[in-house]
Amino acid sequence: MERSREDEVRERLADIAGDDPGPGERALLGRLIRSFLDKNPGGVDRLAELLRGGDPAALREQAHALKGSATNIGADSLARVFAEIEHSAREGVVPDPDLMLGRVAGEQALVYPVLEKIAAEGD
Protein backbone atom coordinates (compact mmCIF):
# COMPACT_ATOMS: atom_id res chain seq x y z
CA MET A 1 0.00 0.00 0.00
CA GLU A 2 1.30 3.43 -0.94
CA ARG A 3 1.95 5.84 1.89
CA SER A 4 0.12 9.15 1.85
CA ARG A 5 2.06 12.35 1.27
CA GLU A 6 1.41 13.28 4.89
CA ASP A 7 2.75 9.92 6.12
CA GLU A 8 5.91 10.40 4.04
CA VAL A 9 6.55 13.84 5.48
CA ARG A 10 5.68 12.96 9.07
CA GLU A 11 7.94 9.89 8.95
CA ARG A 12 10.91 11.96 7.83
CA LEU A 13 10.27 14.71 10.34
CA ALA A 14 10.07 12.09 13.10
CA ASP A 15 13.51 10.90 11.96
CA ILE A 16 14.77 14.46 12.44
CA ALA A 17 13.04 15.48 15.68
CA GLY A 18 11.73 12.28 17.23
CA ASP A 19 8.21 10.98 17.65
CA ASP A 20 7.19 13.55 20.24
CA PRO A 21 9.00 16.82 19.47
CA GLY A 22 8.80 19.63 21.98
CA PRO A 23 7.79 23.19 21.14
CA GLY A 24 11.33 24.14 20.10
CA GLU A 25 11.66 21.20 17.74
CA ARG A 26 8.20 21.83 16.25
CA ALA A 27 9.13 25.47 15.64
CA LEU A 28 12.38 24.39 13.99
CA LEU A 29 10.56 21.89 11.76
CA GLY A 30 8.10 24.64 10.83
CA ARG A 31 10.97 26.91 9.77
CA LEU A 32 12.56 24.06 7.78
CA ILE A 33 9.29 23.40 5.94
CA ARG A 34 8.66 27.10 5.28
CA SER A 35 12.16 27.45 3.87
CA PHE A 36 11.45 24.60 1.48
CA LEU A 37 8.09 26.11 0.48
CA ASP A 38 9.74 29.48 -0.12
CA LYS A 39 12.68 28.17 -2.17
CA ASN A 40 11.21 25.23 -4.09
CA PRO A 41 9.15 27.24 -6.60
CA GLY A 42 12.22 29.23 -7.69
CA GLY A 43 14.22 26.03 -8.03
CA VAL A 44 11.47 24.54 -10.17
CA ASP A 45 11.42 27.69 -12.32
CA ARG A 46 15.14 27.17 -12.93
CA LEU A 47 14.49 23.49 -13.67
CA ALA A 48 11.91 24.54 -16.27
CA GLU A 49 14.44 26.82 -17.95
CA LEU A 50 16.96 23.99 -18.08
CA LEU A 51 14.43 21.46 -19.38
CA ARG A 52 13.56 23.85 -22.19
CA GLY A 53 17.19 24.83 -22.76
CA GLY A 54 18.46 21.32 -23.35
CA ASP A 55 21.63 21.35 -21.19
CA PRO A 56 21.75 17.86 -19.60
CA ALA A 57 24.66 18.62 -17.23
CA ALA A 58 23.07 21.72 -15.69
CA LEU A 59 19.68 19.98 -15.65
CA ARG A 60 21.15 17.03 -13.76
CA GLU A 61 22.67 19.32 -11.13
CA GLN A 62 19.42 21.26 -10.63
CA ALA A 63 17.29 18.12 -10.46
CA HIS A 64 19.74 16.62 -7.98
CA ALA A 65 19.54 19.68 -5.71
CA LEU A 66 15.74 19.70 -5.83
CA LYS A 67 15.62 15.96 -5.14
CA GLY A 68 17.81 16.45 -2.09
CA SER A 69 15.74 19.24 -0.61
CA ALA A 70 12.50 17.35 -1.18
CA THR A 71 13.98 14.22 0.39
CA ASN A 72 15.21 16.19 3.40
CA ILE A 73 11.66 17.09 4.40
CA GLY A 74 10.05 13.80 3.38
CA ALA A 75 8.39 14.89 0.14
CA ASP A 76 9.36 11.51 -1.31
CA SER A 77 6.88 11.45 -4.20
CA LEU A 78 8.11 14.84 -5.37
CA ALA A 79 11.72 13.73 -4.90
CA ARG A 80 11.06 10.71 -7.14
CA VAL A 81 10.02 13.00 -10.02
CA PHE A 82 13.21 15.02 -9.61
CA ALA A 83 15.18 11.75 -9.48
CA GLU A 84 13.72 10.67 -12.82
CA ILE A 85 14.75 13.96 -14.39
CA GLU A 86 18.21 13.63 -12.85
CA HIS A 87 18.60 10.08 -14.16
CA SER A 88 17.55 11.05 -17.69
CA ALA A 89 19.92 14.01 -17.69
CA ARG A 90 22.77 11.80 -16.44
CA GLU A 91 22.13 9.62 -19.51
CA GLY A 92 22.36 12.75 -21.69
CA VAL A 93 18.62 12.87 -22.33
CA VAL A 94 16.51 15.93 -21.61
CA PRO A 95 13.01 14.65 -20.87
CA ASP A 96 9.86 16.25 -22.24
CA PRO A 97 9.53 19.57 -20.38
CA ASP A 98 5.74 19.74 -20.42
CA LEU A 99 5.36 16.18 -19.17
CA MET A 100 7.89 16.49 -16.37
CA LEU A 101 6.81 19.95 -15.25
CA GLY A 102 3.21 18.73 -15.20
CA ARG A 103 4.24 15.89 -12.93
CA VAL A 104 6.19 18.26 -10.68
CA ALA A 105 3.21 20.62 -10.47
CA GLY A 106 0.90 17.72 -9.68
CA GLU A 107 3.11 16.57 -6.82
CA GLN A 108 3.51 20.12 -5.53
CA ALA A 109 -0.29 20.46 -5.48
CA LEU A 110 -0.52 17.34 -3.32
CA VAL A 111 2.39 17.92 -0.95
CA TYR A 112 2.36 21.70 -0.42
CA PRO A 113 -0.94 21.69 1.55
CA VAL A 114 0.42 18.88 3.73
CA LEU A 115 3.60 20.83 4.38
CA GLU A 116 1.67 24.00 5.17
CA LYS A 117 -0.53 22.10 7.63
CA ILE A 118 2.46 20.54 9.40
CA ALA A 119 4.36 23.85 9.47
CA ALA A 120 1.36 25.53 11.11
CA GLU A 121 1.49 22.95 13.91
CA GLY A 122 4.81 24.47 14.94
CA ASP A 123 3.32 27.94 15.40
Side-chain angles (χ1 to χ4, degrees), residues 9-10 12-18 21-36 72-73 115 118-120 122:
V9 172
R10 288 193 184 277
R12 175 63 184 133
L13 297 179
D15 288 344
I16 295 170
E25 288 92 358
R26 284 194 304 274
L28 177 64
L29 293 175
R31 287 193 304 274
L32 176 69
I33 291 168
R34 284 187 192 90
S35 176
F36 174 83
N72 285 342
I73 59 149
L115 293 170
I118 294 171

Side-chain angles (χ1 to χ4, degrees), residues 27-108:
L28 177 64
L29 293 175
R31 287 193 304 274
L32 176 69
I33 291 168
R34 284 187 192 90
S35 176
F36 174 83
L37 290 170
D38 289 344
K39 294 177 183 175
N40 185 256
V44 171
D45 288 346
R46 177 69 180 136
L47 184 77
E49 292 171 13
L50 294 168
L51 279 164
R52 291 192 172 95
D55 178 356
L59 176 62
R60 181 190 54 75
E61 289 177 19
Q62 184 67 16
H64 179 79
L66 289 167
K67 177 186 74 174
S69 62
T71 299
N72 285 342
I73 59 149
D76 297 341
S77 297
L78 181 58
R80 281 191 291 276
V81 178
F82 295 135
E84 287 181 41
I85 297 169
E86 178 187 12
H87 177 75
S88 293
R90 184 178 295 117
E91 300 293 318
V93 176
V94 175
D96 180 87
D98 294 329
L99 174 67
M100 297 314 292
L101 293 171
R103 290 185 55 207
V104 168
E107 284 301 326
Q108 286 173 320

